[in-house]
Amino acid sequence: MSDMTKARYVAGPGGKIEGELTVPGDKSISHRALMFGGIAEGDTEITGFLAGEDCLATLRALQSLGVRIERPEEEHVFVHGVGPDGLRPAAAALDMGNAGTAIRLFMGLLAPQRFNSTLIGDESLMRRPMERVAGPLRMMGANIQTHDGKPPVEIHASPGMRAIEYTLPVASAQVKSAILLAGLQSFGRTHVTEPAPSRDHTERMLASFGVEVLREGAKVAIEGGQTLRGTHVRVPGDFSSAAFFIVAGCLAAENGLLLRNVGVNPTRTGLIEMLRQMGADIRVHPQATADANGEPIADIEVRKSRLRGIKVPESLVPLSIDEFPVFFVAAACAEGETLVRGALELRVKESDRLAAMAQGLTALGVENQLLADGLWIRGTDRFGGGAIDSHGDHRIAMSFAIASLKARAPIEILDVANVATSFPGFVTLARKAGLQIVAS
Ligand code: S3P
């Protein structure tokens, strides 16, 4: 596609946020439900599945590996598990699209198999670092090649891998999960220690598939050779999608906005803490969670409030890693200065999110300074409009749509097709909430 024909949004200035919304299912949980269902014994039913491009890449890859999957409705999936030794070689390279979670978790899943696999992705994924996963897997006996540390990832059959004790250099749920998935198919007990807690959906979901995962402080351990048993996974709303509307509510919900059925796993909700420190009025109403695979769920109520800039505690960074783009928009609308440090990981997401946000905020006239591992922003009560390059990054595109609530002129957001990777129906829901946004 040429630049002229790429999808774009135009978001008109102002708009009032109100009502009740339900966001689509959680991306991290949907990927895992498919993969774990695929290698389980018996069938797995997934309800509330995220029918976004990232999870559909995982679904198609599993089909190529011989897993039968039915999808009677967009968000309702049956995975007919093939059991621990049932995956079969794919006829061609497995295309992970834009999905970092898919490629990294598949590395862990496929490394111990008896067949070779090649993993590729779109332009953005082909630039992302894979040695953080390949390195520890090699220590377990895997035979994996990357190219300059990036995809294509070539995996050569390595049955008979061995457990390791590994300390992650950075907090990363993707790396942790890949090692645990390889550990599950290796000899011995694999231990992974994290420098700070990262999302723990893998640990919670493995338990609901009947696998014993031991947790001791910062250490997670798994014994190789355990068999998963198919189950019913009820996927809650994605907190990372709700995040756009939580910030929108802080900026413009005079009468409040209610977000229903959102996953509020504490390893995901750092944004609430950061916004509360800025003065936001956010109320979390927990739901009964007995049947939600160990994942806490809540309704979240948010009201317009006066935000003040803060220095973000570094301990909150891994707990809100995907929410920084929209958090930076909140900071741009706050009184005073906001400083984020210790967020180097943002440079290796779907885009360099520090640089992309700094560039976009500058285009709107928001004073900011790009730091090696963070961003400094001086908030303002109204900024201008302008054209924003999302760099093909779904979260950058949606964040600048939210910024239109405080803009004086329309914001045109370019290269937005990848919003479909995580948030199908974003524009419809945003308009329902009160944003003046159109796609073209
Ligand atoms: C994810 C983990 C995070 C996050 C990504 C989803 C997951 O990545 O940014 O969107 O599902 O495990 P890292 O683990 O690399 O920080």
Side-chain angles (χ1 to χ4, degrees):
M1 243 187 316
S2 81
D3 281 348
M4 297 300 288
T5 56
K6 277 184 178 167
R8 58 176 200 145
Y9 295 152
V10 178
K16 205 169 91 194
I17 294 294
E18 60 188 5
E20 278 188 33
L21 299 179
T22 306
V23 296
D26 187 277
K27 180 151 72 76
S28 294
I29 294 177
S30 296
H31 278 300
R32 287 161 171 80
L34 289 170
M35 290 185 197
F36 298 180
I39 57 164
E41 251 164 26
D43 295 342
T44 290
E45 179 176 6
I46 310 171
T47 44
F49 174 72
L50 172 65
E53 288 304 322
D54 275 14
C55 300
L56 294 176
T58 288
L59 187 150
R60 286 190 286 266
L62 285 166
Q63 286 175 324
S64 306
L65 292 161
V67 180
R68 201 158 59 80
I69 301 177
E70 290 166 275
R71 194 149 74 104
E73 289 161 274
E74 283 278 285
E75 301 178 356
H76 190 189
V77 180
F78 289 95
V79 184
H80 302 284
V82 294
D85 300 311
L87 294 180
R88 295 289 167 258
L94 297 165
D95 188 350
M96 304 290 146
N98 194 240
T101 303
I103 196 166
R104 297 200 176 112
L105 269 60
F106 267 118
M107 286 170 73
L109 195 67
L110 294 175
Q113 298 289 331
R114 295 175 186 283
F115 54 84
N116 301 345
S117 305
T118 301
L119 308 179
I120 56 170
D122 72 1
E123 217 184 300
S124 150
L125 194 62
M126 296 300 275
R127 287 194 301 261
R128 297 182 63 187
M130 297 298 144
E131 277 300 315
R132 50 180 57 199
V133 180
L137 292 180
R138 274 187 214 112
M139 291 161 68
M140 302 173 80
N143 181 353
I144 298 186
Q145 267 141 36
T146 61
H147 294 262
D148 272 342
K150 298 170 190 147
V153 177
E154 282 151 26
I155 301 171
H156 305 279
S158 301
M161 283 171 53
R162 300 165 304 278
I164 45 166
E165 295 207 10
Y166 188 70
T167 300
L168 297 181
V170 286
S172 165
Q174 293 177 352
V175 181
K176 173 179 63 177
S177 302
I179 298 171
L180 291 176
L181 285 174
L184 194 62
Q185 306 169 82
S186 299
F187 295 107
R189 182 175 290 189
T190 292
H191 300 258
V192 183
T193 304
E194 300 193 87
S198 67
R199 66 189 67 190
D200 64 357
H201 303 302
T202 294
E203 298 91 305
R204 289 179 194 243
M205 198 185 293
L206 280 174
S208 65
F209 275 84
V211 167
E212 197 184 8
V213 181
L214 306 161
R215 277 193 256 196
E216 226 179 80
K219 195 183 268 191
V220 190
I222 196 166
E223 191 71 40
Q226 300 184 68
T227 300
L228 286 77
R229 309 228 176 274
T231 186
H232 182 178
V233 180
R234 295 171 182 82
V235 183
D238 195 324
F239 184 84
S240 298
S241 296
F244 299 104
F245 294 104
I246 293 175
V247 171
C250 289
L251 300 182
E254 304 267 4
N255 300 317
L257 173 74
L258 188 65
L259 295 158
R260 289 213 177 273
N261 192 42
V262 184
V264 287
N265 180 316
T267 59
R268 294 285 297 278
T269 53
L271 176 74
I272 294 182
E273 179 57 29
M274 300 196 298
L275 292 172
R276 280 184 177 152
Q277 287 186 14
M278 295 173 94
D281 178 356
I282 301 172
R283 295 169 210 191
V284 177
H285 307 287
Q287 307 287 299
T289 57
D291 59 353
N293 317 96
E295 292 287 349
I297 298 176
D299 292 342
I300 300 176
E301 196 185 342
V302 52
R303 246 160 238 284
K304 179 172 173 177
S305 29
R306 221 176 97 201
L307 301 180
R308 293 173 300 277
I310 56 164
K311 183 169 182 289
V312 171
E314 284 193 23
S315 60
L316 288 177
V317 170
L319 307 180
S320 48
I321 194 68
D322 289 342
E323 284 61 74
F324 279 99
V326 78
F327 174 75
F328 292 143
V329 169
C333 303
E335 231 175 85
E337 303 168 28
T338 292
L339 179 65
V340 176
R341 302 295 307 258
L344 195 59
E345 277 296 294
L346 294 182
R347 291 201 178 265
V348 290
K349 295 293 178 188
E350 286 83 327
S351 69
D352 176 343
R353 287 184 171 160
L354 293 177
M357 286 306 298
Q359 185 191 41
L361 290 173
T362 302
L364 300 183
V366 178
E367 199 187 334
N368 69 86
Q369 198 179 343
L370 179 59
L371 309 169
D373 65 345
L375 197 56
W376 171 89
I377 296 170
R378 188 193 300 286
T380 160
D381 57 354
R382 272 193 180 267
F383 38 76
I388 304 291
D389 183 355
S390 76
H391 295 268
D393 183 328
H394 54 137
R395 300 202 196 281
I396 304 291
M398 290 185 274
S399 298
F400 282 104
I402 302 305
S404 66
L405 290 165
K406 289 288 176 186
R408 260 187 264 108
I411 300 181
E412 183 190 13
I413 308 159
L414 307 172
D415 198 2
V416 301
N418 277 338
V419 168
T421 61
S422 70
F423 203 148
F426 171 70
V427 169
T428 307
L429 217 58
R431 289 173 67 87
K432 182 177 172 210
L435 267 101
Q436 325 260 345
I437 180 172
V438 288
S440 65

